Amino acid sequence: MRKNITALALLSMALSILVNCKGDPEVFSPDNYYATDIKDTLLVNIVTYIGKKARLADYQTRHNPEHRQFYTQQSKDYKLVYYYITDDSTHYFYIMRPARSLRGNTRGVGGRFRMKKLLTLHDFEELFNTPVLDEQELQMIGKTLFREMLDSGNVDFYMGNKDFIEWPDERLRYDKTRNEWRYDVVD
């Protein structure tokens, strides 16, 4: 069954690339929106949400200025791969981030947010984390999941396909209040 789901997902990915003129990764380049210094600041702001928390920080204090250097340093290991701003001002992202696993040391993360003013994020939400894979696989899977986020606002079509999405799963969910993955979130 898993092989059928994977084959179907790969076929869907190939068709999406062939049918869509937007198959070109350049369309979703963060360079289309921001200069390097602004992209670097944006990445640090995203890492503040999705990265390892600074020592003594919790979900309420992680944005405090005393933790900024910690997230700035951490962001050097992250890569903003795909980015798109919709007509309703929703910012979608796909990032490769460090991870620890026997299968490798990188995973993909996709999500969305809005901005109150330049580079002040709000309504932040991680939608998925991929399994740990090599970067070439993460590029392909990330492109497919990114297109799905843009087309449908979610990645529900790929839920349950462990080759594409490690979580959320039947146990781990995203807490929008704390902006973190938790085992105690009820839908």
Side-chain angles (χ1 to χ4, degrees), residues 15-145:
L15 286 173
S16 174
I17 291 170
L18 288 174
V19 171
N20 255 312
C21 299
K22 294 181 180 176
D24 182 1
E26 306 275 321
V27 172
F28 302 125
S29 172
D31 297 337
N32 294 334
Y33 295 96
Y34 304 112
T36 301
D37 58 333
I38 300 293
K39 281 189 309 194
D40 291 346
T41 300
L42 176 64
L43 183 59
V44 172
N45 291 348
I46 294 171
V47 168
T48 303
Y49 282 98
I50 71 173
K52 179 180 174 187
K53 283 191 203 84
R55 195 170 152 261
L56 303 178
D58 62 19
Y59 75 97
Q60 295 173 312
T61 62
R62 70 175 155 217
H63 298 283
N64 290 359
E66 64 267 21
H67 303 303
R68 184 69 177 184
Q69 185 56 42
F70 175 82
Y71 296 112
T72 299
Q73 187 63 34
Q74 197 179 143
S75 72
K76 294 175 183 172
D77 296 325
Y78 288 68
K79 180 181 177 185
L80 185 56
V81 180
Y82 302 126
Y83 192 81
Y84 189 79
I85 304 172
T86 63
D87 292 340
D88 73 351
S89 299
T90 301
H91 297 244
Y92 283 91
F93 66 87
Y94 177 73
I95 288 178
M96 287 189 206
R97 64 164 295 164
R100 282 177 254 136
S101 169
L102 295 174
R103 294 181 69 190
N105 58 9
T106 308
R107 80 167 62 248
V109 177
R112 62 183 165 216
F113 59 87
R114 293 184 181 269
M115 281 195 208
K116 288 183 180 177
K117 57 183 179 178
L118 184 62
L119 301 176
T120 303
L121 314 186
H122 72 102
D123 294 335
F124 189 93
E125 181 180 14
E126 279 184 64
L127 294 176
F128 66 87
N129 276 252
T130 69
V132 175
L133 299 165
D134 69 55
E135 286 199 20
Q136 186 176 7
E137 288 176 289
L138 288 172
Q139 287 277 121
M140 291 187 325
I141 287 171
K143 179 71 180 262
T144 299
L145 294 172

Side-chain angles (χ1 to χ4, degrees), residues 149-177:
M149 279 194 305
L150 294 181
D151 292 343
S152 67
N154 60 59
V155 290
D156 292 351
F157 180 79
Y158 294 94
M159 289 298 180
N161 182 342
K162 294 294 184 184
D163 292 325
F164 277 58
I165 297 176
E166 187 165 346
W167 68 79
D169 59 15
E170 59 279 350
R171 300 174 309 140
L172 192 60
R173 300 274 187 249
Y174 192 74
D175 183 328
K176 293 180 191 176
T177 303

